[in-house]
Structures are given as C-alpha cells and as structure tokens.
Amino acid sequence: MQEFLSRLQRPLQSIVVLTGAGVSAESGIPTFRASDGLWENHSIEDVATPGGFKQDPNLVHEFYNQRREALLSHGIGPNQAHSALARFQSIFEDQYPGNFTLVTQNVDNLHERAGSLNVLHMHGELLKSRCYQTGSIFNQQKPLNVDSVCRCCRSLGNLRPHIVWFGELPLEIPKIENSLTTCDLFIAIGTSGLVYPAAGFYEQAKKCGAHTVEINLATTTSNFDTQLSGYASDLVPRFFSQLASFLGLAT
Ligand code: NAD
C-alpha cells in the first residue's frame, strides 16, 4: 500500500474523498448493486425515479420509511472506515494547510455520526424531507406518507424524501467541481463507478493532475492510478494512517 505514496507527484494541498454504498456495507446497510439489479428487492424505476413516485407515492414513501427506520435502528452505526475518515479530516484540518473535501453518494448519516464535518451529500439525505412547492428542507426521522402535512405550506402530499432520484440533478455540484479542479489526491471508496456524474469524478481530478486511488472490495474497471482491493473497514484506516505519517501529521 505504501507504494502509492512514492507515486504522489506534487506536494499535497487538496484531497477529495468520494464514498459510495460500499463504505457503509460493513455497518449493515446493503449496497445498491445486488447481482439481481434490484435495490432491496425493488426495481430502481419503481422506487428511485420521479416517475415511480408519481405512479405510486405510497410504495416510494414506504420504501424510504423502511430505509430510514433501518438506519435509526440500534444495531446500525459507523464502522472503522467512517471513523478513520473523520479522524483523518480532523487532524489534517488542524495541522495541515490544505483542503479536505468529503463527497458521498450515500444517503445515510454514518459519516456525520463518526464525526465528519461538512459532508457533501450529492444524492440527498434519508433523514431529511423536502417540500415540492417551496424547496424547503426539513429533518425527518418519522415515517412520511401521502397524508403528511408540510411544515411550510401546510398542504397534504407536498413532502417527498430529500433524495436525488435517477433523472434528477445531483446536489452540491459547483462545490464538488471546484474541489476537483484543485485536487492533488482523489480517493474513491466503495463505489461501483456506475452512477454518473460521480463515476466521472476521478477522470476530472486526473485531468487536473491529481493522483487517483480506488479502495474497493472488487477492483472496478475504472482506470485509477492506484487500486487497492479489500474491505473498507480494513484498508481505509491503514491508508489514512500511512497518509497521515507521510504528511507528518501527529495522530
Ligand atoms: P453501489 O452499490 O453501486 O456499489 C457498491 C460498491 O462498493 C461496489 O463496487 C462494491 O464492490 C463495493 N463494496 C461493497 N462492500 C464493500 C466493502 N465492505 N468495502 C469496500 N468496498 C465495498 O454503490 P454506489 O456506487 O455508491 O451507487 C449506489 C447508489 O445507491 C448511490 O447513489 C447511493 O445514493 C445509493 N445507495 C446508498 C446507500 C447508503 O446510503 N448507504 C446504500 C445503497 C444505495
């Protein structure tokens, strides 16, 4: 693993980390790419598109109610990969004159629960809802249904999960693009590289001169400079501990 350090071409000033469902898999949250192409036994069209919501809002609400309930259940919490990222961000920002950006495709809150700050949730957040009419965003822990009353417009049926569905524009793109153009080291963790635009971030970073690293259980077909395969809970703590030593950070 240390080999990647010798391949870093220029002094590190800016690090971008992109995480996907794989970083939360060992916390007990299933990933999205099941071999049958379904997400928790549902087709993507039914539960993760605006058309699916229009056709059967009850089904879609129920799907996200179950995901929300599972996320809030006792057995679920951050794993060692989330914790290592939060720890690294904290010491890097305290001790190093550089920028650290954590972008996640995940809609869970496990990065925050591990202590990460300013996480860019490009696909939304499970524990938030949004008003169709005003765009206002609310914390949402309780189940939603078609009779939920919106807190801003007081109407029935205006609240939807604050999730970016297929066919919708991801969130935080200007901030993400900006961090990619100045990035020296780009690390993708537990993402299949199949969902755009996130799948193209490593190429954008590479074009701007960044060294690109993938940490994944199974190596993807993407052309990263360094590919590390194994469990995130094992590789992420080791990777960031070595990076911290390389940068001279006291841990
Ligand atoms: P994905 O499910 O398409 O791919 C998961 C990737 O993680 C795979 O490449 C797999 O090899 C890897 N992986 C699985 N277990 C791992 C482990 N223990 N350590 C390291 N790597 C591991 O995920 P994606 O690329 O993030 O795209 C899925 C979309 O579905 C995202 O947009 C996300 O919003 C949504 N989603 C989110 C969650 C969540 O919030 N936790 C869970 C499922 C799906």
Side-chain angles (χ1 to χ4, degrees), residues 19-26 29-34 39 105-108 123 166 189-195 215-218 220 230-233:
T19 62
V23 82
S24 296
E26 290 164 80
I29 301 181
T31 61
F32 170 60
R33 301 278 153 193
W39 185 1
Q105 298 167 90
N106 293 346
V107 296
D108 65 49
H123 290 167
F166 286 92
I189 304 169
T191 175
S192 57
L194 295 172
V195 180
I215 296 178
N216 199 306
L217 200 50
T220 67
Y231 287 98
S233 66

PDB file of all heavy atoms in Angstrom, residues 19-26 29-34 39 105-108 123 166 189-195 215-218 220 230-233, ligand 1:
ATOM      1  N   THR A  19     -17.167   8.760  -1.383  1.00  0.00           N
ATOM      2  CA  THR A  19     -17.580   7.447  -0.867  1.00  0.00           C
ATOM      3  C   THR A  19     -18.890   7.009  -1.517  1.00  0.00           C
ATOM      4  O   THR A  19     -19.700   7.819  -1.970  1.00  0.00           O
ATOM      5  CB  THR A  19     -17.758   7.454   0.668  1.00  0.00           C
ATOM      6  OG1 THR A  19     -18.790   8.375   1.030  1.00  0.00           O
ATOM      7  CG2 THR A  19     -16.471   7.825   1.382  1.00  0.00           C
ATOM      8  N   GLY A  20     -19.061   5.674  -1.533  1.00  0.00           N
ATOM      9  CA  GLY A  20     -20.286   5.091  -2.064  1.00  0.00           C
ATOM     10  C   GLY A  20     -20.820   4.058  -1.090  1.00  0.00           C
ATOM     11  O   GLY A  20     -20.293   3.898   0.030  1.00  0.00           O
ATOM     12  N   ALA A  21     -21.823   3.337  -1.510  1.00  0.00           N
ATOM     13  CA  ALA A  21     -22.535   2.407  -0.621  1.00  0.00           C
ATOM     14  C   ALA A  21     -21.601   1.390   0.049  1.00  0.00           C
ATOM     15  O   ALA A  21     -21.873   0.938   1.156  1.00  0.00           O
ATOM     16  CB  ALA A  21     -23.615   1.690  -1.421  1.00  0.00           C
ATOM     17  N   GLY A  22     -20.461   1.066  -0.596  1.00  0.00           N
ATOM     18  CA  GLY A  22     -19.538   0.077  -0.039  1.00  0.00           C
ATOM     19  C   GLY A  22     -18.943   0.490   1.297  1.00  0.00           C
ATOM     20  O   GLY A  22     -18.593  -0.368   2.107  1.00  0.00           O
ATOM     21  N   VAL A  23     -18.829   1.793   1.541  1.00  0.00           N
ATOM     22  CA  VAL A  23     -18.232   2.224   2.811  1.00  0.00           C
ATOM     23  C   VAL A  23     -19.177   1.932   3.980  1.00  0.00           C
ATOM     24  O   VAL A  23     -18.736   1.767   5.118  1.00  0.00           O
ATOM     25  CB  VAL A  23     -17.805   3.726   2.762  1.00  0.00           C
ATOM     26  CG1 VAL A  23     -18.956   4.667   3.033  1.00  0.00           C
ATOM     27  CG2 VAL A  23     -16.676   4.009   3.744  1.00  0.00           C
ATOM     28  N   SER A  24     -20.463   1.827   3.680  1.00  0.00           N
ATOM     29  CA  SER A  24     -21.445   1.567   4.744  1.00  0.00           C
ATOM     30  C   SER A  24     -21.883   0.103   4.787  1.00  0.00           C
ATOM     31  O   SER A  24     -22.677  -0.274   5.650  1.00  0.00           O
ATOM     32  CB  SER A  24     -22.680   2.460   4.544  1.00  0.00           C
ATOM     33  OG  SER A  24     -22.338   3.818   4.680  1.00  0.00           O
ATOM     34  N   ALA A  25     -21.366  -0.705   3.853  1.00  0.00           N
ATOM     35  CA  ALA A  25     -21.829  -2.099   3.771  1.00  0.00           C
ATOM     36  C   ALA A  25     -21.538  -2.858   5.069  1.00  0.00           C
ATOM     37  O   ALA A  25     -22.374  -3.605   5.567  1.00  0.00           O
ATOM     38  CB  ALA A  25     -21.173  -2.801   2.584  1.00  0.00           C
ATOM     39  N   GLU A  26     -20.341  -2.625   5.629  1.00  0.00           N
ATOM     40  CA  GLU A  26     -19.982  -3.359   6.852  1.00  0.00           C
ATOM     41  C   GLU A  26     -20.677  -2.799   8.090  1.00  0.00           C
ATOM     42  O   GLU A  26     -20.550  -3.360   9.173  1.00  0.00           O
ATOM     43  CB  GLU A  26     -18.468  -3.348   7.020  1.00  0.00           C
ATOM     44  CG  GLU A  26     -17.783  -4.201   5.973  1.00  0.00           C
ATOM     45  CD  GLU A  26     -16.303  -3.894   5.896  1.00  0.00           C
ATOM     46  OE1 GLU A  26     -15.567  -4.389   6.738  1.00  0.00           O
ATOM     47  OE2 GLU A  26     -15.906  -3.130   4.996  1.00  0.00           O
ATOM     48  N   ILE A  29     -25.669  -1.802   6.112  1.00  0.00           N
ATOM     49  CA  ILE A  29     -26.577  -1.184   5.132  1.00  0.00           C
ATOM     50  C   ILE A  29     -26.251  -1.778   3.757  1.00  0.00           C
ATOM     51  O   ILE A  29     -25.135  -1.589   3.263  1.00  0.00           O
ATOM     52  CB  ILE A  29     -26.417   0.351   5.114  1.00  0.00           C
ATOM     53  CG1 ILE A  29     -26.710   0.898   6.515  1.00  0.00           C
ATOM     54  CG2 ILE A  29     -27.332   0.985   4.072  1.00  0.00           C
ATOM     55  CD1 ILE A  29     -26.612   2.395   6.626  1.00  0.00           C
ATOM     56  N   PRO A  30     -27.195  -2.500   3.182  1.00  0.00           N
ATOM     57  CA  PRO A  30     -26.895  -3.177   1.907  1.00  0.00           C
ATOM     58  C   PRO A  30     -26.517  -2.192   0.805  1.00  0.00           C
ATOM     59  O   PRO A  30     -27.014  -1.059   0.785  1.00  0.00           O
ATOM     60  CB  PRO A  30     -28.208  -3.881   1.542  1.00  0.00           C
ATOM     61  CG  PRO A  30     -29.006  -3.920   2.803  1.00  0.00           C
ATOM     62  CD  PRO A  30     -28.572  -2.734   3.622  1.00  0.00           C
ATOM     63  N   THR A  31     -25.629  -2.628  -0.091  1.00  0.00           N
ATOM     64  CA  THR A  31     -25.282  -1.786  -1.235  1.00  0.00           C
ATOM     65  C   THR A  31     -26.411  -1.859  -2.258  1.00  0.00           C
ATOM     66  O   THR A  31     -27.406  -2.558  -2.064  1.00  0.00           O
ATOM     67  CB  THR A  31     -23.940  -2.218  -1.873  1.00  0.00           C
ATOM     68  OG1 THR A  31     -24.098  -3.552  -2.327  1.00  0.00           O
ATOM     69  CG2 THR A  31     -22.799  -2.133  -0.893  1.00  0.00           C
ATOM     70  N   PHE A  32     -26.190  -1.187  -3.342  1.00  0.00           N
ATOM     71  CA  PHE A  32     -27.240  -0.954  -4.306  1.00  0.00           C
ATOM     72  C   PHE A  32     -27.187  -1.965  -5.450  1.00  0.00           C
ATOM     73  O   PHE A  32     -28.199  -2.399  -5.968  1.00  0.00           O
ATOM     74  CB  PHE A  32     -26.997   0.474  -4.787  1.00  0.00           C
ATOM     75  CG  PHE A  32     -27.769   0.945  -5.947  1.00  0.00           C
ATOM     76  CD1 PHE A  32     -29.138   0.977  -5.908  1.00  0.00           C
ATOM     77  CD2 PHE A  32     -27.108   1.408  -7.070  1.00  0.00           C
ATOM     78  CE1 PHE A  32     -29.839   1.461  -6.981  1.00  0.00           C
ATOM     79  CE2 PHE A  32     -27.815   1.885  -8.147  1.00  0.00           C
ATOM     80  CZ  PHE A  32     -29.180   1.906  -8.100  1.00  0.00           C
ATOM     81  N   ARG A  33     -25.962  -2.350  -5.822  1.00  0.00           N
ATOM     82  CA  ARG A  33     -25.787  -3.235  -6.976  1.00  0.00           C
ATOM     83  C   ARG A  33     -25.883  -4.701  -6.582  1.00  0.00           C
ATOM     84  O   ARG A  33     -24.896  -5.418  -6.621  1.00  0.00           O
ATOM     85  CB  ARG A  33     -24.430  -2.995  -7.627  1.00  0.00           C
ATOM     86  CG  ARG A  33     -24.224  -1.595  -8.113  1.00  0.00           C
ATOM     87  CD  ARG A  33     -24.847  -1.356  -9.448  1.00  0.00           C
ATOM     88  NE  ARG A  33     -25.174   0.071  -9.516  1.00  0.00           N
ATOM     89  CZ  ARG A  33     -25.950   0.611 -10.434  1.00  0.00           C
ATOM     90  NH1 ARG A  33     -26.510  -0.132 -11.341  1.00  0.00           N
ATOM     91  NH2 ARG A  33     -26.201   1.895 -10.428  1.00  0.00           N
ATOM     92  N   ALA A  34     -27.026  -5.113  -6.173  1.00  0.00           N
ATOM     93  CA  ALA A  34     -27.189  -6.548  -5.928  1.00  0.00           C
ATOM     94  C   ALA A  34     -27.074  -7.245  -7.281  1.00  0.00           C
ATOM     95  O   ALA A  34     -27.327  -6.630  -8.317  1.00  0.00           O
ATOM     96  CB  ALA A  34     -28.548  -6.808  -5.311  1.00  0.00           C
ATOM     97  N   TRP A  39     -32.791  -3.059  -5.823  1.00  0.00           N
ATOM     98  CA  TRP A  39     -32.372  -2.403  -4.587  1.00  0.00           C
ATOM     99  C   TRP A  39     -33.360  -2.845  -3.520  1.00  0.00           C
ATOM    100  O   TRP A  39     -34.525  -2.462  -3.555  1.00  0.00           O
ATOM    101  CB  TRP A  39     -32.389  -0.882  -4.773  1.00  0.00           C
ATOM    102  CG  TRP A  39     -31.853  -0.126  -3.594  1.00  0.00           C
ATOM    103  CD1 TRP A  39     -31.354  -0.633  -2.431  1.00  0.00           C
ATOM    104  CD2 TRP A  39     -31.744   1.289  -3.479  1.00  0.00           C
ATOM    105  NE1 TRP A  39     -30.938   0.370  -1.600  1.00  0.00           N
ATOM    106  CE2 TRP A  39     -31.165   1.564  -2.215  1.00  0.00           C
ATOM    107  CE3 TRP A  39     -32.074   2.364  -4.317  1.00  0.00           C
ATOM    108  CZ2 TRP A  39     -30.930   2.863  -1.778  1.00  0.00           C
ATOM    109  CZ3 TRP A  39     -31.839   3.652  -3.876  1.00  0.00           C
ATOM    110  CH2 TRP A  39     -31.269   3.900  -2.631  1.00  0.00           C
ATOM    111  N   GLN A 105     -21.996   9.666  -1.988  1.00  0.00           N
ATOM    112  CA  GLN A 105     -23.221   9.344  -2.722  1.00  0.00           C
ATOM    113  C   GLN A 105     -24.234   8.732  -1.769  1.00  0.00           C
ATOM    114  O   GLN A 105     -25.372   8.474  -2.150  1.00  0.00           O
ATOM    115  CB  GLN A 105     -22.909   8.323  -3.827  1.00  0.00           C
ATOM    116  CG  GLN A 105     -21.940   8.852  -4.862  1.00  0.00           C
ATOM    117  CD  GLN A 105     -21.420   7.706  -5.726  1.00  0.00           C
ATOM    118  OE1 GLN A 105     -22.006   7.388  -6.755  1.00  0.00           O
ATOM    119  NE2 GLN A 105     -20.338   7.091  -5.331  1.00  0.00           N
ATOM    120  N   ASN A 106     -23.784   8.463  -0.545  1.00  0.00           N
ATOM    121  CA  ASN A 106     -24.658   7.777   0.405  1.00  0.00           C
ATOM    122  C   ASN A 106     -25.693   8.729   0.982  1.00  0.00           C
ATOM    123  O   ASN A 106     -25.422   9.912   1.199  1.00  0.00           O
ATOM    124  CB  ASN A 106     -23.840   7.158   1.532  1.00  0.00           C
ATOM    125  CG  ASN A 106     -22.976   6.030   1.014  1.00  0.00           C
ATOM    126  OD1 ASN A 106     -23.186   5.568  -0.105  1.00  0.00           O
ATOM    127  ND2 ASN A 106     -22.021   5.599   1.800  1.00  0.00           N
ATOM    128  N   VAL A 107     -26.839   8.157   1.259  1.00  0.00           N
ATOM    129  CA  VAL A 107     -27.916   8.961   1.840  1.00  0.00           C
ATOM    130  C   VAL A 107     -28.024   8.697   3.344  1.00  0.00           C
ATOM    131  O   VAL A 107     -28.858   9.283   4.020  1.00  0.00           O
ATOM    132  CB  VAL A 107     -29.258   8.685   1.119  1.00  0.00           C
ATOM    133  CG1 VAL A 107     -29.156   9.123  -0.342  1.00  0.00           C
ATOM    134  CG2 VAL A 107     -29.653   7.206   1.185  1.00  0.00           C
ATOM    135  N   ASP A 108     -27.168   7.808   3.860  1.00  0.00           N
ATOM    136  CA  ASP A 108     -27.166   7.583   5.313  1.00  0.00           C
ATOM    137  C   ASP A 108     -26.390   8.713   5.997  1.00  0.00           C
ATOM    138  O   ASP A 108     -25.813   9.583   5.332  1.00  0.00           O
ATOM    139  CB  ASP A 108     -26.574   6.198   5.639  1.00  0.00           C
ATOM    140  CG  ASP A 108     -25.097   6.065   5.261  1.00  0.00           C
ATOM    141  OD1 ASP A 108     -24.298   6.959   5.627  1.00  0.00           O
ATOM    142  OD2 ASP A 108     -24.726   5.075   4.598  1.00  0.00           O
ATOM    143  N   HIS A 123     -26.342  12.957  -3.283  1.00  0.00           N
ATOM    144  CA  HIS A 123     -27.598  12.260  -3.608  1.00  0.00           C
ATOM    145  C   HIS A 123     -28.663  12.452  -2.530  1.00  0.00           C
ATOM    146  O   HIS A 123     -29.620  11.679  -2.467  1.00  0.00           O
ATOM    147  CB  HIS A 123     -27.337  10.773  -3.837  1.00  0.00           C
ATOM    148  CG  HIS A 123     -26.576  10.509  -5.110  1.00  0.00           C
ATOM    149  ND1 HIS A 123     -26.002   9.300  -5.410  1.00  0.00           N
ATOM    150  CD2 HIS A 123     -26.301  11.323  -6.168  1.00  0.00           C
ATOM    151  CE1 HIS A 123     -25.395   9.376  -6.601  1.00  0.00           C
ATOM    152  NE2 HIS A 123     -25.567  10.594  -7.069  1.00  0.00           N
ATOM    153  N   PHE A 166     -32.947   8.966  -9.863  1.00  0.00           N
ATOM    154  CA  PHE A 166     -32.400   8.879 -11.222  1.00  0.00           C
ATOM    155  C   PHE A 166     -33.175   9.839 -12.119  1.00  0.00           C
ATOM    156  O   PHE A 166     -34.402   9.907 -12.048  1.00  0.00           O
ATOM    157  CB  PHE A 166     -32.468   7.441 -11.741  1.00  0.00           C
ATOM    158  CG  PHE A 166     -31.439   6.563 -11.081  1.00  0.00           C
ATOM    159  CD1 PHE A 166     -31.747   5.846  -9.944  1.00  0.00           C
ATOM    160  CD2 PHE A 166     -30.139   6.503 -11.575  1.00  0.00           C
ATOM    161  CE1 PHE A 166     -30.790   5.059  -9.309  1.00  0.00           C
ATOM    162  CE2 PHE A 166     -29.171   5.725 -10.951  1.00  0.00           C
ATOM    163  CZ  PHE A 166     -29.502   5.003  -9.818  1.00  0.00           C
ATOM    164  N   ILE A 189     -13.941   5.457  -2.504  1.00  0.00           N
ATOM    165  CA  ILE A 189     -14.060   4.315  -1.582  1.00  0.00           C
ATOM    166  C   ILE A 189     -15.439   3.668  -1.716  1.00  0.00           C
ATOM    167  O   ILE A 189     -16.466   4.341  -1.538  1.00  0.00           O
ATOM    168  CB  ILE A 189     -13.872   4.787  -0.114  1.00  0.00           C
ATOM    169  CG1 ILE A 189     -12.525   5.503   0.056  1.00  0.00           C
ATOM    170  CG2 ILE A 189     -13.986   3.605   0.848  1.00  0.00           C
ATOM    171  CD1 ILE A 189     -12.371   6.232   1.385  1.00  0.00           C
ATOM    172  N   GLY A 190     -15.463   2.379  -2.044  1.00  0.00           N
ATOM    173  CA  GLY A 190     -16.714   1.621  -2.045  1.00  0.00           C
ATOM    174  C   GLY A 190     -17.763   2.133  -2.998  1.00  0.00           C
ATOM    175  O   GLY A 190     -18.939   2.161  -2.669  1.00  0.00           O
ATOM    176  N   THR A 191     -17.337   2.517  -4.181  1.00  0.00           N
ATOM    177  CA  THR A 191     -18.325   2.928  -5.189  1.00  0.00           C
ATOM    178  C   THR A 191     -18.078   2.160  -6.491  1.00  0.00           C
ATOM    179  O   THR A 191     -16.926   1.962  -6.891  1.00  0.00           O
ATOM    180  CB  THR A 191     -18.339   4.458  -5.408  1.00  0.00           C
ATOM    181  OG1 THR A 191     -19.230   4.767  -6.479  1.00  0.00           O
ATOM    182  CG2 THR A 191     -16.969   5.037  -5.694  1.00  0.00           C
ATOM    183  N   SER A 192     -19.177   1.734  -7.112  1.00  0.00           N
ATOM    184  CA  SER A 192     -19.061   0.870  -8.287  1.00  0.00           C
ATOM    185  C   SER A 192     -18.630   1.621  -9.537  1.00  0.00           C
ATOM    186  O   SER A 192     -18.259   1.010 -10.528  1.00  0.00           O
ATOM    187  CB  SER A 192     -20.410   0.206  -8.550  1.00  0.00           C
ATOM    188  OG  SER A 192     -21.392   1.203  -8.708  1.00  0.00           O
ATOM    189  N   GLY A 193     -18.726   2.962  -9.496  1.00  0.00           N
ATOM    190  CA  GLY A 193     -18.365   3.730 -10.687  1.00  0.00           C
ATOM    191  C   GLY A 193     -19.371   3.560 -11.809  1.00  0.00           C
ATOM    192  O   GLY A 193     -19.055   3.693 -12.983  1.00  0.00           O
ATOM    193  N   LEU A 194     -20.605   3.284 -11.461  1.00  0.00           N
ATOM    194  CA  LEU A 194     -21.635   3.087 -12.486  1.00  0.00           C
ATOM    195  C   LEU A 194     -22.650   4.223 -12.523  1.00  0.00           C
ATOM    196  O   LEU A 194     -23.409   4.349 -13.466  1.00  0.00           O
ATOM    197  CB  LEU A 194     -22.370   1.760 -12.235  1.00  0.00           C
ATOM    198  CG  LEU A 194     -21.505   0.508 -12.385  1.00  0.00           C
ATOM    199  CD1 LEU A 194     -22.259  -0.734 -11.930  1.00  0.00           C
ATOM    200  CD2 LEU A 194     -21.049   0.343 -13.828  1.00  0.00           C
ATOM    201  N   VAL A 195     -22.682   5.032 -11.459  1.00  0.00           N
ATOM    202  CA  VAL A 195     -23.691   6.097 -11.402  1.00  0.00           C
ATOM    203  C   VAL A 195     -23.012   7.442 -11.691  1.00  0.00           C
ATOM    204  O   VAL A 195     -22.120   7.865 -10.950  1.00  0.00           O
ATOM    205  CB  VAL A 195     -24.374   6.134 -10.005  1.00  0.00           C
ATOM    206  CG1 VAL A 195     -25.425   7.235  -9.940  1.00  0.00           C
ATOM    207  CG2 VAL A 195     -25.002   4.779  -9.662  1.00  0.00           C
ATOM    208  N   ILE A 215     -10.374   2.395  -3.491  1.00  0.00           N
ATOM    209  CA  ILE A 215     -10.418   1.364  -2.444  1.00  0.00           C
ATOM    210  C   ILE A 215     -11.767   0.677  -2.597  1.00  0.00           C
ATOM    211  O   ILE A 215     -12.818   1.317  -2.466  1.00  0.00           O
ATOM    212  CB  ILE A 215     -10.281   1.992  -1.039  1.00  0.00           C
ATOM    213  CG1 ILE A 215      -8.904   2.666  -0.884  1.00  0.00           C
ATOM    214  CG2 ILE A 215     -10.502   0.936   0.044  1.00  0.00           C
ATOM    215  CD1 ILE A 215      -8.661   3.360   0.441  1.00  0.00           C
ATOM    216  N   ASN A 216     -11.737  -0.607  -2.926  1.00  0.00           N
ATOM    217  CA  ASN A 216     -12.985  -1.317  -3.210  1.00  0.00           C
ATOM    218  C   ASN A 216     -12.782  -2.805  -2.957  1.00  0.00           C
ATOM    219  O   ASN A 216     -11.684  -3.326  -3.135  1.00  0.00           O
ATOM    220  CB  ASN A 216     -13.401  -1.091  -4.678  1.00  0.00           C
ATOM    221  CG  ASN A 216     -14.868  -1.381  -4.918  1.00  0.00           C
ATOM    222  OD1 ASN A 216     -15.366  -2.461  -4.598  1.00  0.00           O
ATOM    223  ND2 ASN A 216     -15.573  -0.417  -5.483  1.00  0.00           N
ATOM    224  N   LEU A 217     -13.851  -3.443  -2.565  1.00  0.00           N
ATOM    225  CA  LEU A 217     -13.806  -4.888  -2.339  1.00  0.00           C
ATOM    226  C   LEU A 217     -13.396  -5.618  -3.624  1.00  0.00           C
ATOM    227  O   LEU A 217     -12.597  -6.540  -3.604  1.00  0.00           O
ATOM    228  CB  LEU A 217     -15.203  -5.329  -1.904  1.00  0.00           C
ATOM    229  CG  LEU A 217     -15.365  -6.652  -1.179  1.00  0.00           C
ATOM    230  CD1 LEU A 217     -14.398  -6.766  -0.019  1.00  0.00           C
ATOM    231  CD2 LEU A 217     -16.796  -6.771  -0.677  1.00  0.00           C
ATOM    232  N   ALA A 218     -13.969  -5.173  -4.738  1.00  0.00           N
ATOM    233  CA  ALA A 218     -13.627  -5.765  -6.035  1.00  0.00           C
ATOM    234  C   ALA A 218     -13.159  -4.630  -6.925  1.00  0.00           C
ATOM    235  O   ALA A 218     -13.852  -3.633  -7.053  1.00  0.00           O
ATOM    236  CB  ALA A 218     -14.856  -6.402  -6.642  1.00  0.00           C
ATOM    237  N   THR A 220     -12.752  -2.171  -9.748  1.00  0.00           N
ATOM    238  CA  THR A 220     -13.675  -1.833 -10.834  1.00  0.00           C
ATOM    239  C   THR A 220     -12.871  -1.660 -12.129  1.00  0.00           C
ATOM    240  O   THR A 220     -11.642  -1.723 -12.113  1.00  0.00           O
ATOM    241  CB  THR A 220     -14.432  -0.517 -10.537  1.00  0.00           C
ATOM    242  OG1 THR A 220     -13.483   0.547 -10.563  1.00  0.00           O
ATOM    243  CG2 THR A 220     -15.129  -0.562  -9.194  1.00  0.00           C
ATOM    244  N   GLY A 230     -10.047  -4.720  -1.128  1.00  0.00           N
ATOM    245  CA  GLY A 230     -10.256  -5.315   0.181  1.00  0.00           C
ATOM    246  C   GLY A 230     -11.390  -4.585   0.879  1.00  0.00           C
ATOM    247  O   GLY A 230     -12.031  -3.702   0.297  1.00  0.00           O
ATOM    248  N   TYR A 231     -11.607  -4.964   2.126  1.00  0.00           N
ATOM    249  CA  TYR A 231     -12.701  -4.356   2.898  1.00  0.00           C
ATOM    250  C   TYR A 231     -12.349  -2.918   3.306  1.00  0.00           C
ATOM    251  O   TYR A 231     -11.237  -2.658   3.774  1.00  0.00           O
ATOM    252  CB  TYR A 231     -12.977  -5.190   4.149  1.00  0.00           C
ATOM    253  CG  TYR A 231     -13.676  -6.487   3.828  1.00  0.00           C
ATOM    254  CD1 TYR A 231     -12.973  -7.670   3.719  1.00  0.00           C
ATOM    255  CD2 TYR A 231     -15.056  -6.500   3.605  1.00  0.00           C
ATOM    256  CE1 TYR A 231     -13.616  -8.860   3.400  1.00  0.00           C
ATOM    257  CE2 TYR A 231     -15.702  -7.684   3.283  1.00  0.00           C
ATOM    258  CZ  TYR A 231     -14.976  -8.855   3.184  1.00  0.00           C
ATOM    259  OH  TYR A 231     -15.619 -10.020   2.858  1.00  0.00           O
ATOM    260  N   ALA A 232     -13.326  -2.042   3.158  1.00  0.00           N
ATOM    261  CA  ALA A 232     -13.108  -0.642   3.540  1.00  0.00           C
ATOM    262  C   ALA A 232     -12.714  -0.523   5.005  1.00  0.00           C
ATOM    263  O   ALA A 232     -11.846   0.280   5.354  1.00  0.00           O
ATOM    264  CB  ALA A 232     -14.382   0.170   3.261  1.00  0.00           C
ATOM    265  N   SER A 233     -13.323  -1.341   5.869  1.00  0.00           N
ATOM    266  CA  SER A 233     -13.035  -1.214   7.309  1.00  0.00           C
ATOM    267  C   SER A 233     -11.590  -1.577   7.634  1.00  0.00           C
ATOM    268  O   SER A 233     -11.054  -1.155   8.648  1.00  0.00           O
ATOM    269  CB  SER A 233     -13.971  -2.107   8.121  1.00  0.00           C
ATOM    270  OG  SER A 233     -13.683  -3.454   7.825  1.00  0.00           O
TER     271      SER A 233
HETATM  272  P1  NAD B   1     -23.014   0.509  -5.487  1.00  0.00           P
HETATM  273  O1  NAD B   1     -23.932  -0.278  -4.593  1.00  0.00           O
HETATM  274  O2  NAD B   1     -23.338   0.635  -6.918  1.00  0.00           O
HETATM  275  O3  NAD B   1     -21.568  -0.160  -5.377  1.00  0.00           O
HETATM  276  C1  NAD B   1     -21.010  -0.502  -4.138  1.00  0.00           C
HETATM  277  C2  NAD B   1     -19.532  -0.727  -4.338  1.00  0.00           C
HETATM  278  O4  NAD B   1     -18.966  -0.957  -3.062  1.00  0.00           O
HETATM  279  C3  NAD B   1     -19.209  -1.941  -5.215  1.00  0.00           C
HETATM  280  O5  NAD B   1     -18.235  -1.568  -6.165  1.00  0.00           O
HETATM  281  C4  NAD B   1     -18.655  -2.971  -4.224  1.00  0.00           C
HETATM  282  O6  NAD B   1     -17.618  -3.764  -4.787  1.00  0.00           O
HETATM  283  C5  NAD B   1     -18.097  -2.076  -3.135  1.00  0.00           C
HETATM  284  N1  NAD B   1     -18.114  -2.683  -1.800  1.00  0.00           N
HETATM  285  C6  NAD B   1     -19.077  -3.449  -1.247  1.00  0.00           C
HETATM  286  N2  NAD B   1     -18.763  -3.761   0.016  1.00  0.00           N
HETATM  287  C7  NAD B   1     -17.561  -3.165   0.261  1.00  0.00           C
HETATM  288  C8  NAD B   1     -16.693  -3.136   1.390  1.00  0.00           C
HETATM  289  N3  NAD B   1     -17.001  -3.732   2.533  1.00  0.00           N
HETATM  290  N4  NAD B   1     -15.530  -2.432   1.295  1.00  0.00           N
HETATM  291  C9  NAD B   1     -15.195  -1.799   0.133  1.00  0.00           C
HETATM  292  N5  NAD B   1     -15.973  -1.814  -0.963  1.00  0.00           N
HETATM  293  C10 NAD B   1     -17.142  -2.482  -0.898  1.00  0.00           C
HETATM  294  O7  NAD B   1     -22.834   1.880  -4.785  1.00  0.00           O
HETATM  295  P2  NAD B   1     -22.640   3.362  -5.342  1.00  0.00           P
HETATM  296  O8  NAD B   1     -21.564   3.357  -6.360  1.00  0.00           O
HETATM  297  O9  NAD B   1     -22.497   4.182  -4.119  1.00  0.00           O
HETATM  298  O10 NAD B   1     -24.024   3.735  -6.076  1.00  0.00           O
HETATM  299  C11 NAD B   1     -25.236   3.415  -5.441  1.00  0.00           C
HETATM  300  C12 NAD B   1     -26.281   4.492  -5.298  1.00  0.00           C
HETATM  301  O11 NAD B   1     -27.298   3.964  -4.387  1.00  0.00           O
HETATM  302  C13 NAD B   1     -25.755   5.736  -4.630  1.00  0.00           C
HETATM  303  O12 NAD B   1     -26.157   6.760  -5.429  1.00  0.00           O
HETATM  304  C14 NAD B   1     -26.480   5.848  -3.269  1.00  0.00           C
HETATM  305  O13 NAD B   1     -27.176   7.064  -3.175  1.00  0.00           O
HETATM  306  C15 NAD B   1     -27.493   4.753  -3.223  1.00  0.00           C
HETATM  307  N6  NAD B   1     -27.316   3.904  -2.002  1.00  0.00           N
HETATM  308  C16 NAD B   1     -26.921   4.457  -0.827  1.00  0.00           C
HETATM  309  C17 NAD B   1     -26.729   3.653   0.294  1.00  0.00           C
HETATM  310  C18 NAD B   1     -26.308   4.297   1.586  1.00  0.00           C
HETATM  311  O14 NAD B   1     -26.609   5.464   1.812  1.00  0.00           O
HETATM  312  N7  NAD B   1     -25.569   3.595   2.452  1.00  0.00           N
HETATM  313  C19 NAD B   1     -26.918   2.276   0.215  1.00  0.00           C
HETATM  314  C20 NAD B   1     -27.345   1.732  -1.012  1.00  0.00           C
HETATM  315  C21 NAD B   1     -27.527   2.564  -2.125  1.00  0.00           C
END
